[in-house]
Amino acid sequence: MHAKITGEDDVRVGLHVTDNNNAKHRIEMEFNGSIEFHDCDEYADKASQRTTAENEHSNQARRFARFYVYRERGYDTLEPMRNPDRIAIAVLAVASLEGETFHEVFGWTLQQLWSRSSDVEPIVVVPQSADDELHRVGQDIYLREGETLATELEALTETEAYDRLETAVGAKPGDTSLSTVQETLAELDLDLSETAHSLGDALLEAVGPVSVRWEHSQDDHRVVSADQTGPLPAREPDIRPEMIAEFYPIESVDEFQEAFVHHLRCQVRDCYLEMGIAPPRPFRTLGPGFYENIGWYAHHEFYPDYHDYQAEITDWGEEHTPVDLY
């Protein structure tokens, strides 16, 4: 995947995007990510006249164009809850929380998950007609707005753990990519409990009530939510975890936190894969991420079975990933 910005005015950016099938796309995008023009000579104009692969190559080109403009110009062009940088920040924040603190914030999700397979009372009750459906359980996460990586890492700088992290990374906070930080944390297996309070305050603005989502039919998506006990930001959430109880045989809070972090890592992975490029190495992991992506991976040959823990993935698409993208 390759992109080049060809022009920019007061409201719109023009790009040339070459997809992984070597087709050339001309795209014009508003600063909010709305695609106003998209043309590709190699594919038919109507989606109904294109193959499944051609349609997905076109979708990848649009997603990558949004991501490229976001990275190159800083405009908020990405769809809500599809910004891999912000989901990765949530990974960092959630992974650093002490078990007790984590349970205080996200324990409602755990109780709802347990209610599917035990006598634990659910937080929200779904209609009996939906008992046989896959229930996606989670609490929306809102990150503090306007945070940069350097700011987000400042919470670590006064701790012994950060001294070890900085030595391992070999860079100052502002020079360190989030993927490198995540990779180093995984390698060092650091105990960041001493930073949990400050890191959580620095990154997490609010968490919504537990919600359960399911498909009543292909075009009918249902949701029930618990009552919200405090105010939430008047905007879309940054992250929407959707954990399916049948995929997570969780027996403890520690297992839940580990599964929760893994689920978010899979969402980061999906953001990159659906743009036609390889995820950063710390996010090349298998398991369920975005619910809609599970269907794509399971039922279409276009993508490997990234949702399957047992799948053998030999190619993450590195040859299609621009150098120094992240």
Side-chain angles (χ1 to χ4, degrees):
M1 192 71 69
H2 176 73
K4 179 181 179 181
I5 294 177
T6 59
E8 182 177 349
D9 56 27
D10 292 338
V11 296
R12 191 175 296 182
V13 179
L15 303 97
H16 283 168
V17 179
T18 303
D19 70 25
N20 296 343
N21 197 33
N22 209 34
K24 313 295 183 182
H25 301 257
R26 294 175 295 278
I27 295 175
E28 291 185 6
M29 179 195 314
E30 293 189 356
F31 294 164
N32 63 1
S34 175
I35 306 275
E36 297 301 313
F37 175 83
H38 183 183
D39 180 63
C40 179
D41 293 338
E42 288 87 346
Y43 304 149
D45 291 337
K46 294 183 178 180
S48 60
Q49 297 175 353
R50 298 193 292 259
T51 66
T52 298
E54 289 172 343
N55 272 318
E56 189 58 12
H57 280 304
S58 295
N59 290 333
Q60 286 182 345
R62 295 162 75 96
R63 297 179 193 124
F64 183 76
R66 292 188 177 99
F67 181 72
Y68 187 80
V69 171
Y70 155 74
R71 280 291 177 86
E72 293 295 315
R73 293 293 187 267
Y75 302 133
D76 189 15
T77 52
L78 297 178
E79 298 177 19
M81 293 171 280
R82 277 303 199 278
N83 186 324
D85 292 341
R86 297 189 73 76
I87 302 174
I89 291 166
V91 170
L92 179 64
V94 172
S96 72
L97 294 175
E98 290 182 293
E100 182 178 348
T101 304
F102 173 78
H103 187 256
E104 288 176 359
V105 178
F106 295 106
W108 304 124
T109 292
L110 177 58
Q111 183 170 336
Q112 189 70 34
L113 289 171
W114 272 342
S115 72
R116 289 285 286 176
S117 58
S118 69
D119 295 332
V120 172
E121 287 293 322
I123 301 299
V124 294
V125 178
V126 301
Q128 188 173 359
S129 60
D131 281 347
D132 294 332
E133 306 297 333
L134 285 177
H135 294 177
R136 293 118 59 192
V137 181
Q139 294 169 256
D140 290 345
I141 299 174
Y142 298 80
L143 300 178
R144 296 197 182 277
E145 291 190 294
E147 298 292 327
T148 65
L149 178 60
T151 302
E152 288 143 9
L153 291 179
E154 281 179 357
L156 292 173
T157 59
E158 301 301 324
T159 69
E160 179 183 354
Y162 181 77
D163 291 339
R164 295 160 60 194
L165 176 63
E166 186 176 37
T167 300
V169 174
K172 297 179 180 179
D175 300 326
T176 306
S177 71
L178 188 59
S179 62
T180 301
V181 172
Q182 279 296 334
E183 192 169 29
T184 303
L185 289 174
E187 291 173 352
L188 294 180
D189 192 24
L190 293 178
D191 178 8
L192 297 181
S193 58
E194 63 183 290
T195 73
H197 179 72
S198 59
L199 189 58
D201 284 347
L203 303 182
L204 302 177
E205 180 176 356
V207 173
V210 66
S211 297
V212 179
R213 291 176 166 79
W214 70 95
E215 308 302 308
H216 183 68
S217 66
Q218 183 175 359
D219 299 317
D220 187 0
H221 301 231
R222 302 288 178 89
V223 57
V224 291
S225 300
D227 294 334
Q228 176 60 25
T229 58
L232 292 176
R235 56 184 173 84
E236 290 284 341
D238 295 287
I239 298 97
R240 174 163 290 162
E242 292 184 304
M243 301 181 71
I244 299 171
E246 289 78 357
F247 294 170
Y248 300 99
I250 299 166
E251 297 184 359
S252 68
V253 173
D254 288 344
E255 285 187 8
F256 174 46
Q257 186 171 13
E258 182 178 351
F260 193 98
V261 169
H262 184 81
H263 173 62
L264 295 182
R265 288 176 63 210
C266 290
Q267 285 196 357
V268 176
R269 174 206 66 201
D270 287 347
C271 288
Y272 287 97
L273 293 175
E274 65 187 14
M275 291 187 285
I277 57 177
R281 291 191 178 277
F283 302 102
R284 296 182 194 179
T285 187
L286 300 178
F290 293 121
Y291 175 73
E292 54 267 37
N293 291 56
I294 296 175
W296 261 100
Y297 302 153
H299 302 299
H300 296 274
E301 294 183 358
F302 188 88
Y303 291 104
D305 294 335
Y306 296 109
H307 68 291
D308 184 353
Y309 290 107
Q310 307 304 319
E312 294 186 7
I313 306 299
T314 58
D315 182 9
W316 287 94
E318 291 179 287
E319 72 274 18
H320 301 306
T321 306
V323 178
D324 297 329
L325 179 66
Y326 38 70

